[in-house]
Structure formats: C-alpha cells, structure tokens
Amino acid sequence: PKMKEDNCLHAALICLGMLYYSHVVTTEKLNHTRPSLHGHHEKGKEGQVLHRSKRGWVWNQFFVIEEYTGPDPVLVGRLHSDIDSGDGNIKYILSGEGAGIIFVIDDKSGNIHATKTLDREERAQYTLTAQAVDRNTNRPLEPPSEFIVKVQDINDNPPEFLHENYHANVPERSNVGTSVIQVTASDADDPTYGNSAKLVYSILEGQPYFSVEAQTGIIRTALPNMDREAKEEYHVVIQAKDMGGHMGGLSGTTKVTITLTDVNDNPPKFPQSVYQMSVSEAAVPGEEVGRVKAKDPDIGENGLVAYSIIDGDGMDMFEITTDYETQEGVVKLKKLLDFETKKSYSLKVEAANVHIDPKFISNGPFKDTVTVKISVEDADEPPVFLKPSYIFEVQENAASGTVVGKVHAKDPDAANSAIRYSIDRHTDLERYFIINAEDGNIKTIKALDREEIAWHNISVFAVEVHKQHQEAKVPVAIKVIDVNDNAPKFAAAYEAFVCENARSNQQFITISADDKDDSANGPRFIFSLPPEIIHNPNFTLRDNRDNTASVLVRREGFSRQKQDLYLLPIVISDGGLPPMSSTNTLTIRVCGCDSNGSLLSCNAEAYILNAGLSTGALIAILACIVILLVIVVLFVTLKRQKKEPLIVFEEEDVRENIITYDDEGGGEEDTEAFDIATLQNPDGINGFIPRKDIKPEYQYMPRPGLRPAPNSVDVDDFINTRIQEADNDPTAPPYDSIQIYGYEGRGSVAGSLSSLESATTDSDLDYDYLQNWGPRFKKLADLYGSKDTFDDDS
C-alpha cells in the first residue's frame, strides 16, 4: 500500500509540472513579451564574485496561428533594445523571409504584425533578422540578430486516402481474421503538435463480413465460410478520422471492392438421374449419339468435369468424351450397330472434378453418376457382302467364258430383298470379265495374258432389286496364273569379237537369257547348238548351268580377208512344262589384235589399206587435200572481188564522176571481158531513180501511164519520159545528175555521140582497112567503114 501511494504521488507531481509548463508557455505567447534579463551577481567558489555580461537582444521564438481570419493584423511579438530610452532616437529594422510583405515592424515601438493569412502546410516557419539603428545616422547600435517565427498548426486538413477506390480479392470460405488489404490515409497537419494528424480507421459499410484495424487500416474477414456461390462481391467503406477519432476531428473515406475468389468446394451434380438417347443402326463409328451435363457451381479449373463410362452393356459399343468448352459429356458410337441383333443398350456415366482441393475433401465425394439408356433404331441398310474382299485365280490363255469365282451379298434387313450384281466398268475398261447379275459368278470374256497384266483389280456392285439406291461395293482381285507360253531369248543384243590370233578353246563371250514367263516356267535355261551344226569347226558352246553359256574358239587362226563375219545359231530352252525353246543368232566379228589380245581393228578394208600405206602417207594425203581446198577458196574469193561494180557514186557529189576502165575488149565475140549490166541502175528499170545525196521527205511515184516498157525501141520517147519525170519529181535535184541507160536504141536520126568521131570528120580518116582484120573487128568495120559498105551491109 505504501508503494502504491508513492506511485500515485509521483504521478500527481508530474501532472502538476506539465500543467505549470503549459501555463508558462501559454502566458508567454499571449503576452508576446520578452523578459529583460539584467545582469546579476553570483558568488563563486572561495567567495569570488563572478560578473555576467549583459546582452542587448534576448527573446524566445515567436509563434503565429495559421489560418487567422480576423479584421486586424495579428501581433506576432515586440522587439525592444535595452538602450532604447523611449525618446524615439532608435529605429527598428526587420529583414529576412517575408519581411515587408508578410511581416511588418513598427520602427519606433518594435511591434511585429502578420499582414496575411498563413498556412502551415505551405510553410511552417520563417527566419527573420532584427537590428536597432540610430534614426538620424542609421548607425547600427547593436549587431543584427536572427529569430524564427513558427506557424502554429490548427486542425484544418482532413485525412486523405492514397486511392479513391481499392480492389481486393480473398478466397471464399477463408478463416476469420484473414487479411484482405491495407488502406492508408495521410493528414497534411503537423503530426508533432497535438492530435491534428493522429488518424483512426473505422468501417462504415461492410459489416458484419469485414473489419478494419483502427491503427493500421488492415481489412480482415469477420465471418467464417463466406460462400462465393451465394455472394461474390462486397462493397466496404472505410473512414479515417484525425484527432485520434475524438469528436470534432476531420475525416475522409474510401471505397473498397472485395471479391471472393473461387475454391473447389462444390461437387458436380447431374440434374436428372436417367438420360434417354436413340441412334440409327446405319450410324458410323465416331458419330455423336447424345450429350449429358453435370452442373458444378464452381468456376475455372475448379469447375472442370471429366466424364467416363464405368459400367453397362454398351461399354464396348459406345464411348464418351468431354467437351471442355461446354463442360458436357459427348456420347459417341464406337462400333457398328445391328438392330436385328440388339435393340437397346444401357450405360453408367460418371462425372468427376478434375482438380480437387485437399482442404475441402471432407465435402466430397466430388463426383456423380447417371444412367444413359440408348435405343437402336432400325434403318434400311444396303446389301452386305459375306467377305470384305475377294481374291480369285485364273490361268492365262483360258478360253472365253471360264468361271473365275463367285461373290455373294445379302440384305441385312428383315425384308431380305433380292440382290443384283454388276461390275464397275471404270475398274475393267478393257472388259476382260463379266458377272452374272443373279448369282454373282464372274467369267472371262477374252483370253488373259499374264505377261501383259498379272493382276486384275475390279469392283463389284450389289444392289437391292426394289431399292436401287441401296448398294454395296466390294474389291475383287484376280490373279492370272502363268502358263509357259513364252520361249527364252537373249538377254541383250549380243555381238562378239574374236581375234585372228585366237587360241583353241579360248572363251571370248558369255551370254544369258530372259523369259517373260514366271520363274516356275523360266529358269533354269539350257543352251545348245542346233543339231545340224553341233560339230561346227569354228566355235563351240559350253552351258555353265547357271542360266549362262560361254562361247569358245574351236580352232586357231582366223583371217579377216577370207571371212570377217560369222553367224552362230544358239538354241535356248526353259524349264517349264511343256518346255519352250527358241533359236537366237550370235554375230561374231573377226578382228585384228595385238600380242596381248587387245582389239586393234575389226574392218577388212582398213586391213587392206594398212598393207599398202603407212600412217605417215595417209597424213600427207590429207594435208594435200586441205591445201587444195584452201587454194580453191582463195581463187573464188578473188574472182568475186574482181566482179564488183566499177562505178561508185560518192555521196558528196553525184554530178561528175570519172570512170576508168583498165580492161581491153577482145572484140565482139568476147562476151566475158566486161559486163554492161554493172552500169545499169536496178532502180532505173522501174522508171524511178531516188536521190542519193539527200533523204527525201516522200518518194515520188511516177504515173503508170508515163512508165515506158523496159524493151522500148524508141530512145527519143525514153528520154522524153525521163525528162517529164525529172520535171514533175519534187525530190529531183536542182542540178544535173548522171543518168545511166543500159539500152542504146536503133535508128536514131541524130549523129553519133561517140568520142571517136568528136574530133574528126567523115573524110579525115579511112577505116576500110578494118575489113581485113578478121571477124573480131567486123563490128568496127561496119561502124567506121565507107558509106557504101555500110549501105550494102544494111
């Protein structure tokens, strides 16, 4: 009891001390005065007196309440110097943060006022400098001194949450107290002064499902076994209040949306106990029969359901798969059904969760079963062959009408309709077979050749007589059995070579044979010579008994000059029943060989040439032939160059051309010395001579009526025609141009234009002596002889 009393006394003393301190501070702030501290004397040790210096500026921090809205400026405090005697000679000056704008000072009294409303959240304190100077001289009377004006906080800011809306998830059926989310609010007020920023959280909406911790803002579940399937989403309103949650405090709120996430706490359930389904007996395996579905209120992987058949007489005929998109079990046909054999089936289907949560295993079992009854419906089925395929055999070369085999089909329906058979002609284009439409017997129409086609693959249709749309198809393979009807022959076109110096019994070729028949009627082959040449003096045959034979030389010494080619007949027989044989001819050439037996030549003519001429002589002959050919080519080339036209028209000037001929004629009988055709212009024959010096804009086409005949006998008309063409031709040159005429004409009344008479008269020279020069100069004698002679000749 005594200890308890002492504790209570101590607590009382502490409380009184705190109250005294608060009273002193409050009084100091309200009075806004500073205590003047005068120097006093203290006794030190050994009676020594200590002197304390006296300061000119002594005050505490100034405080001003924020958000003051009174009519007068707020008095912050008063500055006063000890040397101020009140005569007005001292002037107080204020400088620093906000001086003159927010804080003003009375330079006489030293009173400091705040002229504007202050906000601690914008600025918590201001640092100012005060100085006392002489009013007249502005001389500092004391050194400047700094002081601080602190803005005192009031509760003027409500709490604010970091987000206006929060979203959180929590598993359904969580235990009470499971943490969901933490919300946080902040208060702009001063947390170090009073309770303005001390926040307390509380829940306004969302009870009794959730709660919130008052100091931390953590939201927790408040009820057990909350079921998502009953309610999935909750809206909670949280409040944050300052002043420690007491009355008068400011508050802020936020909304929290809490969603319950799913867990696998519900087993699947079929909505009914029995499902009825039906399927046609004509359905094919894999066809869907029906669907079942177990409902599971869980979602996602917690709601996945797998289906299986666990019992029933239809387990072998049906199967079930899971459609994970619709969460249904799909019943499908597994094998073909027959209405006449079994008309209904029963299945036991189980639906089970794929993912099971061990926490809720006690809620199980997480599966359910249902009965599925399936009835088989009768269908009009097509005929059915007794076998899925048929294989028959028939000998080749069998007579037409030979029975190959028989197919059989029946109608599986109760009506048991009659069946008709036919062959698919797309599989028997050559029409080798025919089938009896009534009983299905297949026969041949023509002889079969195994060597041509060894297997025949046809298809047979079976159709109900009264229902043509109901048909079945079956493949039929027919094997053609081999008959020994082909004789063996050489495997290749053999041609053998034997040396002239071959030795006796020397082997020079090995032959083999082929047989188109099957192996049973083919090898082993037997090789032999015909009986009439079995004692052939030149060659002999040895059967190697491995389906090959060797040909050997019987004598020595062959001569290409006497005989260079031998034909050896060889008989080949097969091992069939009855055996077949053929005679094949082997061509053997005699060749020249060297001492090692290598072939040199197999040509008899080459042998003769080699006997008379050496290789060097043959090369010399070939060289002579090549030289002769070169000479001929050069001669022809020179002759062609000699016959080039002697008149060349220069493009620069076509008016005057000097033509020189270095050719002396041999008289009128010499018709090869000079060809007058070289002077003819090919275009002149057609009556049109194009310009050679310029390119005309268009070509002038002479009128048909003005074109003379190429063989005109009147030179005057010919020249007049040319003049008219030149006058009417717009492309004609404005100067004289040379005209070449290949025809001279007869009977002209004008004198000769020849230069032979241009310098003399008729009486100047006598050319009668030309008559004595012979027939070569007869033409000149007629031209230049006496007038009498000319008249006689004419």
Side-chain angles (χ1 to χ4, degrees), residues 588-661:
I588 304 173
R589 293 186 179 275
V590 180
C591 301
C593 304
D594 57 14
S595 60
N596 296 325
S598 299
L599 294 179
L600 294 178
S601 175
C602 296
N603 193 343
E605 288 76 4
Y607 177 80
I608 296 172
L609 288 173
N610 289 337
L613 295 174
S614 64
T615 303
L618 291 175
I619 294 175
I621 293 172
L622 292 176
C624 292
I625 293 173
V626 172
I627 293 172
L628 290 174
L629 290 175
V630 172
I631 292 173
V632 171
V633 170
L634 291 174
F635 179 77
V636 173
T637 304
L638 292 174
K639 188 166 182 64
R640 287 184 178 178
Q641 291 179 353
K642 190 174 182 181
K643 287 188 176 183
E644 290 182 355
L646 299 177
I647 300 178
V648 180
F649 295 99
E650 297 292 340
E651 293 182 359
E652 291 78 14
D653 193 358
V654 297
R655 291 175 293 176
E656 294 178 3
N657 290 283
I658 300 175
I659 303 171
T660 304
Y661 302 99

Side-chain angles (χ1 to χ4, degrees), residues 407-601:
V407 297
H408 183 69
K410 66 175 183 179
D411 183 9
D413 297 325
N416 195 17
S417 302
I419 305 297
R420 294 184 64 85
Y421 303 93
S422 62
I423 295 177
D424 183 1
R425 288 304 170 188
H426 292 93
T427 61
D428 185 26
L429 297 176
E430 300 296 332
R431 294 184 176 270
Y432 287 105
F433 306 98
I434 191 173
I435 190 170
N436 189 308
E438 305 295 335
D439 57 12
N441 276 324
I442 301 174
K443 298 179 181 181
T444 60
I445 301 177
K446 59 177 71 174
L448 305 178
D449 186 0
R450 191 203 67 85
E451 288 71 38
E452 183 180 351
I453 303 177
W455 283 86
H456 293 267
N457 296 298
I458 63 174
S459 298
V460 175
F461 290 113
V463 182
E464 294 183 15
V465 174
H466 302 293
K467 298 177 181 178
Q468 298 293 328
H469 64 282
Q470 295 291 356
E471 67 177 13
K473 187 178 182 180
V474 67
V476 178
I478 302 173
K479 180 181 179 181
V480 181
I481 301 174
D482 184 49
V483 174
N484 193 18
D485 56 348
N486 291 280
K489 297 180 180 180
F490 276 158
Y494 292 108
E495 185 175 6
F497 302 91
V498 63
C499 294
E500 290 181 303
N501 56 358
R503 299 185 306 273
S504 179
N505 291 326
Q506 179 182 347
Q507 176 183 335
F508 60 89
I509 189 172
T510 299
I511 59 175
S512 62
D514 282 337
D515 194 330
K516 293 182 179 180
D517 291 323
D518 198 3
S519 59
N521 294 314
R524 160 177 105 80
F525 299 124
I526 301 171
F527 299 86
S528 62
L529 294 177
E532 60 271 14
I533 62 167
I534 195 169
H535 299 293
N536 187 296
N538 300 316
F539 306 99
T540 183
L541 184 69
R542 182 179 64 203
D543 192 338
N544 296 326
R545 298 182 179 278
D546 60 354
N547 298 323
T548 64
S550 300
V551 182
L552 299 87
V553 177
R554 174 167 283 185
R555 67 179 177 85
E556 294 182 356
F558 291 88
S559 176
R560 282 183 288 171
Q561 293 181 347
K562 292 181 180 181
Q563 185 175 352
D564 64 339
L565 184 66
Y566 293 89
L567 300 178
L568 180 64
I570 298 175
V571 178
I572 308 175
S573 302
D574 60 21
L577 292 175
M580 297 287 291
S581 63
S582 65
T583 301
N584 301 265
T585 302
L586 177 64
T587 301
I588 304 173
R589 293 186 179 275
V590 180
C591 301
C593 304
D594 57 14
S595 60
N596 296 325
S598 299
L599 294 179
L600 294 178
S601 175

Side-chain angles (χ1 to χ4, degrees), residues 69-91:
T69 58
D72 298 325
V74 178
L75 177 63
V76 177
R78 180 181 180 185
L79 299 180
H80 185 74
S81 176
D82 290 342
I83 62 175
D84 186 3
S85 58
D87 55 3
N89 291 326
I90 295 179
K91 179 181 179 181

Side-chain angles (χ1 to χ4, degrees), residues 270-279 288-294 307-321 328-333 342-351 368-376:
F270 284 105
Q272 58 195 69
S273 59
V274 178
Y275 283 86
Q276 297 286 347
M277 300 179 183
S278 62
V279 61
E288 181 178 328
V289 178
R291 294 186 174 222
V292 296
K293 184 175 183 179
Y307 298 87
S308 60
I309 299 175
I310 59 175
D311 197 7
D313 58 358
M315 293 183 65
D316 296 335
M317 306 300 295
F318 299 93
E319 63 182 355
I320 190 168
T321 59
E328 294 176 319
V330 183
V331 181
K332 294 182 179 180
L333 183 62
K342 189 173 178 63
K343 297 180 175 59
S344 64
Y345 295 89
S346 178
L347 302 174
K348 188 174 183 180
V349 176
E350 179 184 82
D368 194 16
T369 58
V370 71
T371 300
V372 179
K373 294 184 178 181
I374 303 174
S375 60
V376 181

